[in-house]
Amino acid sequence: QVQLVASGGGLVQPGGSLRLSCAASGFNLGASAIAWFRQAPGKGRERISCITDSGGTTAYADSVKGRFTISKDNAKNTVYLQMNSLKPEDTAVYFCSTSLTSYCLGSDRYRYWGQGTQVTVSS
């Protein structure tokens, strides 16, 4: 079955960096777009980035543009989210998701979800 396992979260100081990983199994990552979402306490889930099947097209929310970079290694069945210049407002649980389409979808159309990894940005 489709499985997504997010990892790499932790506690980091403002201005620091983290790299999240999303390990995919049970489907062809090379034929699937993957999105990263986050959910802060008391807030709704926000799609922050997406990458298409080949990795040739990426998209970012304005809140992370220029600071976060999404990438994928289809040979390793893994998608990454490099997060730089982290801010306290980046504190959230981060999830990876797919609907097994080759292209990115609207935020409410994702079907499969990983368990999430906590990112806390604090001094």
Side-chain angles (χ1 to χ4, degrees), residues 101-115:
T101 59
S102 61
Y103 48 90
C104 295
L105 298 172
S107 297
D108 59 347
R109 295 180 61 192
Y110 285 84
R111 181 176 176 187
Y112 301 98
W113 296 84
Q115 85 290 1

Side-chain angles (χ1 to χ4, degrees), residues 1-120:
Q1 69 275 26
V2 173
Q3 284 196 317
L4 298 164
V5 179
S7 62
L11 174 64
V12 63
Q13 292 187 341
S17 297
L18 280 176
R19 188 177 79 159
L20 305 184
S21 298
C22 175
S25 61
F27 65 101
N28 183 0
L29 182 62
S32 303
I34 300 291
W36 282 99
F37 287 75
R38 68 185 180 187
Q39 187 164 18
K43 295 188 177 181
R45 195 167 289 187
E46 175 191 15
R47 196 190 82 171
I48 56 172
S49 188
C50 182
I51 189 165
T52 55
D53 55 345
S54 65
T57 300
T58 58
Y60 299 92
D62 288 344
S63 57
V64 305
K65 199 172 294 182
R67 300 187 298 122
F68 291 11
T69 303
I70 191 171
S71 61
K72 63 182 339 209
D73 185 335
N74 290 328
K76 294 184 178 179
N77 288 322
T78 303
V79 177
Y80 304 99
L81 186 69
Q82 178 67 43
M83 306 188 297
N84 298 330
S85 302
L86 283 161
K87 305 175 182 179
E89 51 263 45
D90 294 318
T91 295
V93 179
Y94 285 70
F95 302 87
C96 51
S97 181
T98 186
S99 274
L100 306 182
T101 59
S102 61
Y103 48 90
C104 295
L105 298 172
S107 297
D108 59 347
R109 295 180 61 192
Y110 285 84
R111 181 176 176 187
Y112 301 98
W113 296 84
Q115 85 290 1
T117 186
Q118 175 71 47
V119 171
T120 303

